[in-house]
Every structure is written in C-alpha cells, then in structure tokens.
Amino acid sequence: MIVSGLHKGKAFKWAALAGAVLFVVYLLWPVGTLFPDDYSRVVTDRYGNILRVTLARDGQLRFAQESDKLPEKYVKAVTMMEDRRFFHHPGIDPFSIINSFVCNIRTGKRVRGASTITMQVVRLSNPRKRTYLNKVIECITATRLTIQKSKDEILKLYATHAPMGGNVAGIYSASRYYFGKPLDEITWAEAALFAVLPNNPSMINIKKQRSELKIKRDRLIRTLLVKGIIDSTTYALSVDEPLPPVKSRLHFEAPHFAELALRSTERNLIQTTLDLKKQRDVENIIRRYCRSYRDYGVANMAALVIDNNTSEVVAYIGSQDYDDTISSGRVDGVMALRSSGSLLKPLLVGRALDRGPWVIQSKVQDVPSYYGTFSPSNASGEFQGMVTIEQMLIQSLNVPAVRLLYHYGQADFYQDLKQMGVSTLFRSADGYGLSIILGGAEVRLWDMCRIYSALGNEGLIRPVRMFDGMEKENDSSRVCSPGASWLILSSLSKLDRPENEKYGHLFSDQIPVAWKTGTSYGQKDAWAVGVNRQWTVGVWVGNFSGEGNPFLGGAVSAGPVMFTIFRQLTAITKPLWFDCPEYDLKRTSVCSATGYLPGPACPQTTTVLTPSQAWKTQQCPWHRKVVIDRQTGYELCSRCWDGKEKKDTVLLVYPAASAEILRKKGFAADIMPSHLSSCTAVRKKKSNISIEYPTDGITVFIPRSLDESYQQVVCKASSQTESSLLWYLDGKFLGETHDFHNMAILCNPGKHILSVFDNEGGEKRVNFRVVGRNTIVKNGD
Ligand SMILES: [Zn+2]
Ligand SMILES: [Zn+2]
C-alpha cells in the first residue's frame, strides 16, 4: 500500500509535470492571426483630406493602422478608462477581477466587468456569449496573447478594431471620419472621446445620446487632471470642446480621380497628390462654365491640372458633375478617347526642328494640296500661299501642317508619338495616314497634358504621379530637345487669347501661357492645353454622346475655361516663365525671306536659334540669280547673251501654286522668266508627265448622282520624277498633288484644257469635251 501510494504520488507528480508542460506549450502555441485582413480603403489628398473611403467587406468603416506609434494622448486616455494596469498585468488583472467580483456580489447585479484591454481584443476577434466558461477561455487566451505579443501590439489591435459608434471601427477611421484629420493630430478631448466610445457603444451613441456621451468624456478628462496627466488649462480647454457633428454621408470628393486611384493600386491607404482646395476651385470654374455652355447644347467638360515642378496631378475633373446621370456625368473625360484636333502639331514641329532642315521661321507652302484622296483644308477655308512654321502653329493651319508631316515622314512621326507614350494609337501608321496631324487619331486629355507638361520640363517626359510609388511609365522619353521645347513654348505663347482674356481682365496678360487649341472634325471636341512655369492645364469641352456643335471650338469654348483656371492657380509672385536653355541652342544664319540656309543668291540673312542637335540642312530653294535681257525680259545664258543688254537680278521664285495665291493677296511674287527661245542651250525638254485620264480629244459624259447632282471627274496623271504636280483647268489653278496624282474636278459642259506642270518645268496638256449641264468648278478646299 505504502509502495503503491508512493507510486501513485510519483505518477501524480509526473502527470502534474506533464500537465504543466502541456499548459506551457499551450500558452506558447501561436494564437495565429486574430483579425482577418479586412479594411476600408482610403483615398486622401496630399494633405490627408479624405476624398473617398470604401467599407471593409464586413460593412465596417475600419482603417488599417496608419503609423507605427499610437498617439500618447490616446494611450493615456484609453488605459485610464479601460485598464489602468494594462502595461503591468499578464493579460488578466487579478485585482480588477476580485474588485469586480466583490462589487457584483454586493450589488447583486453585474455592474463592473473586469475585462482588460487584452481580453477585449480577444472578444473583438471572436465574439462569444457572455458566460463564465467563455470568460475563463478569454482569460487564458489573453494570457497567451500577452506572452506572445508586445503590449504595444495588443493596444494597436484594440485601437484598430474597437467599435466607435455606428459602423465606424477603430480610432484611425474615427479620427478621419469624425474629425477629418490624421490620428497624430488629435487633442486630449478627442483622445478621451475615443477612449469612452467603445465602452458600451450600444448605449452611448454619438448620434442620439450626445449629452450622456459628453458627460462620460468629461469625466475621463477630469480623471486625467486628477491623476496629474494634464494640467488645469488643458482640462478647461478640453471640456469646452464640442462633440463632433453627426455626418450623414461618407466623403465623396474628386470622384473620377478617387476611382482611378483605387483602380491603380491595391493599397488600403492611398495618399494622393491631389490638392482638395485647388480641386474644388477648378470644379467650381468647370460648373460655372458648364451651366452657361448648356444653353448652347454642350453638356460635358473635363479638366486636368499638373504641377510642372513635380509632375503631380493637383486637380482632376472627369466630368462637369459625377451625379449628372442625364448627361453621362460618370464618364471620365480625362481618360476618354477623343479626336485630338490640332493638339499634335507642336509635337511634330518639335521633332522637325530637332532634325532639320526646318527652323521655326522656315516657310512652308499653304496651297490646295492633294495626297491621294486626302485633301486638307484650313479652318478658314482660305490659303495663304506661304507661311512660316511659327505662323502655322499660331494660326493652327492644317494645310502646311500636313505638308510638314508629309516631308518629315508620317511613319516616323507615328513612331515618335508611340515613343512619347500616346497610348491610344490602335491603328497602323498607314491606317491613320497624314490626317493624324489634324485629329485623325484619338487621344486622352491625360496623355496630352503629360506631353505638354514635358515641353515645360525641357522636353523630358516624366511620369505623371497621382500618388507615391505609382508605377513608372515611359521613363526618360522625350517630346523633343530642350532647345526645341523652348522654341515651341515661345511660339505658343504668342497665340491670340480669347476675347475675355484680351480685354476682360487687367492682370491676365501678366500670366504668360504657352497654349494650343484643338477642334476636331465636325466640331465634336474642343481642347485647350496650356503650360507655364507652374502649371499644365488641359481642358476638354464637348458631348460624351459624340454630338457635334457649332459652338465647339478650342479657342472659343475651351480656351476661356483654361485661362480662368490659370488665373485661379498661378501665383504671380513665383517664377512664371521658362529660362532659355542656351546650352542646347545654336545660332544659325538663314535666308531672311525663306528661313532656309542662305544660298549664293539670297540677298539677306538673319540669325535664328535652332536646337543644337539639328543636323539636316537645306539651302534656300527659292532665291535665284538670273541674267535677263533688259529689252525683252527673257532669261539669258552665256550661250545667248552676246550682244544683248543683260542685267543681273535676284528673283524669289516660289512654286507656282504659292506664287499665284501670294499675288492674289497683293504680295509681290516673282515669276521665273522664259529663256530666250533662240538660245542653242534650250532643247525642247521631254516631258516626264503623262495624263492618263482624260485622254486628249475625249468626250466625257458626266453621270448624275442619286440626288440629281453631277458627279466629279477624277483626272489621273503620272510623273517619272518625284516632283509634285500642279494642275490647271482652263488656266485656273486647281491644286497640287503628291505621290498619287489624282484630281477630282467638277466642270461645265463644253470644251476644256487640262494642264499639268511639274517643278522641273515639264508640262503636259490635254483637250477634252464635257457633256452635261452647268455646274461649278470645285477647287481645292
Ligand atoms: Zn533665300
Ligand atoms: Zn541661253
């Protein structure tokens, strides 16, 4: 018996030891994750103002931890309120348990819980019925938690998940939701409120029991004073603070932008670069203009503002009003695909200046031109004969822009645009053709602003940022060189401003803005994008439905909005304009009249700035030294000038099409005189041109269209050289063709002479007869 008793005692000891070991193992066994990873997503502006919050999956407004450290005020307040020995007890507080047990027995009901903050964390993570058994389980889990986690971590878990009234959970969301500020800026009164709110939240409600809540808060502030944590001044100020107002709606600022931010990252807290105050200012401008534009039948507008110093988005207005469901207010006009109008012209000029042979004062022909079936026209319907590239930009002329693109190379420019990050070119270069420069391709306001902003950054395209750590795109690509960027900005700053800018505002002229307008075909889109040292502002006006409107024009409807935004945002005390990048510009001497390298005949030269890298050059093609017969005016040469009274002269001989238009406009334009016909040097030149249709002597029958009108005759010619061809019908200039020599004409019944010339003096003509009724001759516009 004694032996077995001894054994029993031993066995018991072993069992006890085993039990103790098991218990220790249990205590040390990882508690695992207490809370699912389920938080609200928050989009804020650059100063932390909330733009948008989403609810967590469980419907709670619960923000994830924002910083490593809880604010000291909150730590003091919440431990004072809930668990004074929190930092010293093992997760359960024996004093508190005894105290509450005694208290409950004495009063006969449960007035005090003995829950520590740690036990409340356990309960929040896994709510159970309030029974004594569950209380024991909670106590054990709380001990395990205390062993495994630091006090700091436990308090943070509590702070993140404690109920704060309604569906607000945790102090991070509460400080933003109730006070609109980050947690580290809270006052003692606010910290005290956060400490008392979770305490029986169903009874104390920030919406209904406001006075009880304030009494409870002030009592805690009083305790903080009594315990010497705050002084009496702080106490007095704190109890004076009112409770936060009741909110009825979650934040809903910069809606299109906030949605884009949420789509662009997985992060829970997205601190963006937006400036809520500036956003609201620009929104107000957009609303105001939109109200008056509505009378003209224009419903939609979008705007984007980029800070040029940081390449950050500061304001982003996707539509006139997100809630305007009648006019598709949800559509995001900043990202929508719209025809670019003329917005790509400066980009072509930049690339053309970088390569050469053009300088910004080089002349380009502005004459009726045909490229296959494509025949561009200017918005005015008129031609100027010859214009400089700068005039082309300032007046946004289509015909010379197409000509520049034709000579620069349409496939090259298409590649340039892709390099610049125009992300919306879904067709091939040929699919767009030359019309890409006039709005044949669809672009985003976003891309346009990004690229124009680069002009203000010495041509270097930086990724436009919406928030920190945003994915980089198109790093280190360029619009053009620093020199070319500066030349373009200078040209674009000379654009005529809208009426209200020119006269309406006294200070408007003090804000320099390089800007470009765009109007798409059919007047469906109006654009204005402007740049100064501080901002890039892009405005799009139109109808999301795609409906055209005669009121829509870059300068008329988008320009005034853009300038109003500039006036609102530009700080005139800061630098307004760009420094000239002299290191990247060289001085080049060019012919004053034509803007190409001076040739031996050019009478006058002038010095212009060109990008250092420009390498391609061309001599002035239009100044010619000729010897003429003083008597007859015929051209002479060494073989035929003997005995003649000769005269040296310099002529500016523009291509015939340009010369004709210039003469009509009253400008002097020289004509190349014919060579003396008796000269032995003049051989009958064999023409390189052939006219395939109509053939000589043919009778052309013109059929009627369904609408009874007479159709055009498509004439075809070909040339053995690469020269463009000039077309005349009965001596009247029709236009110029390149590559594909087709010319559609409308002609009266009767006899006609069609003449075609090339640039080398070659000519071909045919006679033909037309059968049909009177119609007008259509010329090139
Ligand atoms: Zn010249
Ligand atoms: Zn001769």
Side-chain angles (χ1 to χ4, degrees):
M1 285 297 279
I2 293 161
V3 175
S4 85
L6 205 69
H7 281 166
K8 259 188 190 167
K10 253 189 177 173
F12 180 75
K13 272 185 188 166
W14 278 111
L17 188 62
V21 169
L22 274 176
F23 188 65
V24 169
V25 169
Y26 176 71
L27 285 179
L28 294 175
W29 197 263
V31 287
T33 43
L34 292 171
F35 298 95
D37 188 18
D38 183 18
Y39 298 100
S40 297
R41 300 188 65 201
V42 190
V43 184
T44 74
D45 82 342
R46 64 195 305 126
Y47 302 114
N49 298 306
I50 293 187
L51 305 176
R52 180 79 71 87
V53 287
T54 66
L55 297 180
R57 290 191 297 280
D58 62 0
Q60 299 282 303
L61 188 69
R62 182 191 306 109
F63 292 7
Q65 285 175 25
E66 285 175 23
S67 53
D68 286 346
K69 229 172 128 32
L70 285 170
E72 200 51 39
K73 289 172 190 163
Y74 174 71
V75 175
K76 289 265 161 54
V78 77
T79 48
M80 184 61 67
M81 180 73 200
E82 295 284 343
D83 191 351
R84 292 188 191 182
R85 285 172 294 274
F86 172 73
F87 286 102
H88 309 289
H89 62 57
I92 51 174
D93 184 354
F95 293 106
S96 180
I97 291 172
I98 293 162
N99 209 346
S100 92
F101 194 70
V102 170
C103 197
N104 288 351
I105 297 261
R106 206 181 278 163
T107 55
K109 29 181 193 172
R110 288 179 51 164
V111 285
R112 275 191 77 133
S115 280
T116 62
I117 285 174
T118 320
M119 287 162 72
Q120 291 185 53
V121 168
V122 173
R123 202 180 304 140
L124 283 168
S125 80
N126 186 6
R128 298 166 200 258
K129 270 193 178 167
R130 293 235 182 166
T131 64
Y132 278 103
L133 177 63
N134 283 340
K135 195 105 185 168
V136 171
I137 294 172
E138 273 166 25
C139 288
I140 295 171
T141 313
T143 317
R144 286 173 66 202
L145 205 57
T146 310
I147 293 169
Q148 295 177 24
K149 288 189 186 295
S150 73
K151 288 285 181 184
D152 257 7
E153 284 174 276
I154 293 166
L155 193 55
K156 269 188 216 159
L157 284 175
Y158 177 77
T160 313
H161 295 274
M164 290 285 164
N167 65 341
V168 183
I171 58 172
Y172 298 99
S173 49
S175 73
R176 299 279 192 177
Y177 181 71
Y178 292 127
F179 300 112
K181 58 183 175 186
L183 193 56
D184 49 13
E185 291 171 17
I186 57 169
T187 64
W188 278 107
E190 287 157 2
L193 180 71
F194 293 157
V196 301
L197 263 174
N199 199 266
N200 228 344
S202 57
M203 276 183 66
I204 289 184
N205 187 302
I206 203 153
K207 285 184 186 157
K208 291 166 196 153
Q209 287 91 17
R210 289 175 70 83
S211 53
E212 287 98 320
L213 186 60
K214 187 164 184 309
I215 291 168
K216 216 164 170 187
R217 182 198 75 173
D218 293 349
R219 199 183 297 147
L220 175 59
I221 297 172
R222 172 105 205 139
T223 313
L224 292 170
L225 171 71
V226 170
K227 293 281 175 182
I229 295 168
I230 58 173
D231 57 30
S232 55
T233 318
T234 311
Y235 170 78
L237 288 172
S238 298
V239 293
D240 249 14
E241 276 185 39
L243 291 186
V246 177
K247 299 221 172 160
S248 56
R249 189 187 183 195
L250 287 178
H251 305 77
F252 206 78
E253 302 282 355
H256 296 96
F257 175 79
E259 269 162 28
L260 180 64
L262 285 168
R263 275 201 309 274
S264 309
T265 175
E266 307 255 288
R267 266 184 264 169
N268 284 330
L269 177 68
I270 313 168
Q271 180 147 22
T272 69
T273 59
L274 202 89
D275 182 328
L276 186 55
K277 185 185 171 302
K278 292 191 168 70
Q279 168 79 13
R280 284 181 180 151
D281 288 346
V282 179
E283 275 173 5
N284 286 336
I285 292 169
I286 296 286
R287 288 220 182 89
R288 208 169 65 227
Y289 274 100
C290 228
R291 267 198 299 275
S292 67
Y293 286 5
R294 201 157 287 171
D295 299 341
Y296 296 94
V298 174
N300 303 115
M301 207 182 280
L304 181 65
V305 179
I306 296 170
D307 183 335
N308 285 342
N309 295 307
T310 56
S311 292
E312 291 171 348
V313 175
V314 169
Y316 183 119
I317 291 90
S319 77
Q320 68 291 347
D321 181 0
Y322 188 84
D323 292 331
D324 180 0
T325 47
I326 297 165
S327 299
S328 315
R330 304 254 156 128
V331 174
D332 182 352
V334 174
M335 288 298 174
L337 289 174
R338 310 295 308 195
S339 159
S340 69
S342 298
L343 290 185
L344 305 181
K345 284 176 187 168
L347 318 183
L348 170 65
V349 171
R351 290 289 173 129
L353 295 182
D354 274 345
R355 186 202 287 176
W358 303 277
V359 303
I360 197 97
Q361 286 85 2
S362 292
K363 285 204 171 147
V364 183
Q365 278 182 272
D366 181 15
V367 297
S369 310
Y370 293 80
Y371 305 87
T373 54
F374 176 56
S375 171
S377 59
N378 294 321
S380 65
E382 299 201 347
F383 301 94
Q384 299 183 33
M386 278 286 173
V387 293
T388 63
I389 287 180
E390 183 167 62
Q391 282 170 316
M392 180 269 275
L393 271 185
I394 293 175
Q395 301 174 38
S396 200
L397 300 170
N398 294 336
V399 179
V402 171
R403 185 171 285 261
L404 182 64
L405 177 60
Y406 177 78
H407 289 292
Y408 176 82
Q410 160 210 331
D412 287 0
F413 184 57
Y414 176 83
Q415 285 308 324
D416 293 346
L417 289 176
K418 289 218 148 175
Q419 236 179 56
M420 291 176 206
V422 178
S423 54
T424 51
L425 302 175
F426 57 89
R427 282 187 238 156
S428 67
D430 284 341
Y432 290 111
L434 292 167
S435 71
I436 196 169
I437 199 66
L438 305 183
E442 289 177 325
V443 296
R444 298 194 161 110
L445 182 60
W446 174 273
D447 283 338
M448 289 301 102
C449 288
R450 195 186 47 166
I451 292 171
Y452 272 75
S453 168
L455 285 176
N457 182 39
E458 302 207 320
L460 194 64
I461 301 175
R462 289 185 291 199
V464 170
R465 289 186 331 127
M466 296 168 60
F467 47 83
D468 273 331
M470 191 173 164
E471 263 184 55
K472 301 211 159 164
E473 38 173 47
N474 291 302
D475 241 352
S476 78
S477 61
R478 282 193 163 276
V479 183
C480 51
S481 68
S485 300
W486 190 80
L487 291 167
I488 290 169
L489 290 171
S490 308
S491 294
L492 293 182
S493 67
K494 298 174 191 165
L495 255 74
D496 269 352
R497 298 196 174 190
E499 290 299 308
N500 64 338
E501 273 299 312
K502 272 192 276 189
Y503 312 110
H505 198 275
L506 276 176
F507 300 105
S508 64
D509 285 346
Q510 289 178 4
I511 301 177
V513 177
W515 67 299
K516 183 76 198 78
T517 56
T519 310
S520 69
Y521 182 75
Q523 290 181 284
K524 292 176 180 164
D525 308 88
W527 305 85
V529 182
V531 190
N532 69 12
R533 179 83 172 260
Q534 296 169 21
W535 309 107
T536 296
V537 177
V539 173
W540 171 88
V541 186
N543 288 310
F544 287 142
S545 63
E547 202 181 310
N549 190 302
F551 174 70
L552 286 173
V556 183
S557 38
V561 185
M562 186 201 76
F563 276 105
T564 310
I565 296 172
F566 266 111
R567 270 209 308 274
Q568 175 70 41
L569 299 181
T570 304
I572 50 172
T573 48
K574 291 186 191 162
L576 297 168
W577 196 243
F578 308 93
D579 301 324
C580 174
E582 288 188 31
Y583 67 92
D584 195 51
L585 288 164
K586 59 183 178 192
R587 284 171 203 285
T588 307
S589 173
V590 294
C591 167
S592 320
T594 67
Y596 293 90
L597 278 195
C602 295
Q604 246 183 347
T605 60
T606 177
T607 305
V608 295
L609 291 174
T610 58
S612 301
Q613 68 175 76
W615 54 272
K616 212 172 168 185
T617 57
Q618 188 188 331
Q619 254 188 16
C620 169
W622 299 308
H623 271 121
R624 291 191 200 176
K625 241 181 202 152
V626 286
V627 181
I628 55 167
D629 185 342
R630 225 181 248 283
Q631 303 281 306
T632 61
Y634 283 121
E635 187 192 10
L636 302 174
C637 69
S638 56
R639 297 200 190 181
C640 61
W641 65 37
D642 283 345
K644 301 273 189 314
E645 197 183 343
K646 58 181 191 197
K647 180 183 143 193
D648 286 339
T649 183
V650 170
L651 300 177
L652 180 58
V653 184
Y654 282 129
S658 297
E660 175 151 333
I661 292 167
L662 288 170
R663 277 196 297 276
K664 263 188 201 156
K665 289 189 169 290
F667 295 105
D670 298 328
I671 305 169
M672 189 64 196
S674 308
H675 203 89
L676 186 70
S677 52
S678 60
C679 175
T680 52
V682 180
R683 289 191 304 263
K684 266 274 178 246
K685 261 197 185 167
K686 204 179 107 224
S687 175
N688 288 317
I689 311 167
S690 60
I691 297 180
E692 281 134 28
Y693 188 85
T695 47
D696 199 29
I698 191 180
T699 298
V700 178
F701 173 75
I702 304 184
R704 285 169 186 257
S705 300
L706 285 176
D707 63 356
E708 295 284 298
S709 65
Y710 287 99
Q711 292 180 6
Q712 293 179 318
V713 184
V714 178
C715 304
K716 289 178 198 288
S718 61
S719 168
Q720 285 164 359
T721 69
E722 284 185 356
S723 165
S724 52
L725 297 183
L726 304 167
W727 296 68
Y728 290 80
L729 183 69
D730 304 322
K732 194 177 161 101
F733 179 64
L734 293 175
E736 186 175 6
T737 54
H738 309 266
D739 286 355
F740 303 102
H741 303 291
N742 292 350
M743 173 69 68
I745 56 174
L746 276 171
C747 36
N748 301 332
K751 286 185 174 173
H752 297 283
I753 302 169
L754 178 70
S755 327
V756 180
F757 298 85
D758 64 17
N759 292 335
E760 286 134 32
E763 182 194 348
K764 187 82 188 176
R765 65 173 61 186
V766 291
N767 296 286
F768 65 101
R769 200 162 69 90
V770 167
V771 179
R773 264 197 345 213
N774 265 358
T775 43
I776 50 152
V777 175
K778 192 191 181 221
N779 63 20
D781 51 37

